[in-house]
Amino acid sequence: MATAETVELGPPHFPKEGSITAFNALLPQIRKKLIVMRHKHGKHDKDYFASVAHLTDHELESFDASNLEEVRVGTTAYGIHILGKVRLPKVEDSYIHVRLYVGEEDGQKVYKLHSIYLDKDGRVVLPKAEELAWFNE
């Protein structure tokens, strides 16, 4: 299992082709997970999505690869781990952090969404200044 101790992340940088390809492959899953998180957690704790509470689900998930503004990448023996900072275009200074994995099975690339970051204060939507750092869940 990958952890902050076992994956050395490179410095933050603008996304390159490999990160964009992985993001595009997982875009439907990222959008779906974000909306599920909103409905599941947003009912009980309004802080999770407070800054985007006025948006419809469709507006919340209106991001695409052009909104992937920063990534950090780490390589292990079994694959590539990508942390991405995604701008939510309908609200100023609103971002989500995603953790993606690119591996190989039977000679084919496999893309997996590991998680969307939820910070210690219970926020999913973060300001741009929030550092893109390793997270498990």
Side-chain angles (χ1 to χ4, degrees), residues 8-93:
E8 185 175 335
L9 292 172
H13 60 86
F14 191 77
K16 297 178 184 170
E17 184 179 352
S19 295
I20 293 168
T21 299
F23 185 83
N24 278 328
L26 293 167
L27 185 57
Q29 292 175 31
I30 295 167
R31 288 175 172 161
K32 182 178 180 179
K33 183 167 181 84
L34 182 63
I35 299 305
V36 167
M37 289 175 75
R38 179 187 210 182
H39 289 273
K40 180 179 178 185
H41 299 297
K43 289 180 186 176
H44 306 292
D45 192 339
K46 303 295 183 202
D47 291 341
Y48 281 45
F49 290 91
S51 64
V52 294
H54 63 285
L55 297 180
T56 65
D57 287 351
H58 181 70
E59 291 171 326
L60 180 61
E61 66 175 15
S62 66
F63 55 88
D64 59 26
S66 69
N67 302 111
L68 180 62
E69 292 190 358
E70 181 179 284
V71 296
R72 294 185 70 189
V73 179
T75 303
T76 61
Y78 48 89
I80 299 169
H81 303 269
I82 302 168
L83 301 184
K85 185 181 285 191
V86 183
R87 182 177 54 84
L88 301 176
K90 299 293 182 183
V91 179
E92 191 171 324
D93 197 31

Side-chain angles (χ1 to χ4, degrees), residues 59-135:
E59 291 171 326
L60 180 61
E61 66 175 15
S62 66
F63 55 88
D64 59 26
S66 69
N67 302 111
L68 180 62
E69 292 190 358
E70 181 179 284
V71 296
R72 294 185 70 189
V73 179
T75 303
T76 61
Y78 48 89
I80 299 169
H81 303 269
I82 302 168
L83 301 184
K85 185 181 285 191
V86 183
R87 182 177 54 84
L88 301 176
K90 299 293 182 183
V91 179
E92 191 171 324
D93 197 31
S94 293
Y95 292 77
I96 60 170
H97 293 186
V98 297
R99 182 173 151 205
L100 315 177
Y101 170 77
V102 182
E104 195 172 300
E105 290 178 11
D106 301 323
Q108 299 288 328
K109 279 197 176 181
V110 176
Y111 300 98
K112 295 181 181 177
L113 170 62
H114 186 278
S115 56
I116 296 175
Y117 182 57
L118 174 65
D119 79 359
K120 65 182 183 330
D121 295 324
R123 297 176 303 157
V124 174
V125 180
L126 307 165
K128 184 175 185 171
E130 186 82 21
E131 179 185 0
L132 188 57
W134 185 267
F135 60 94

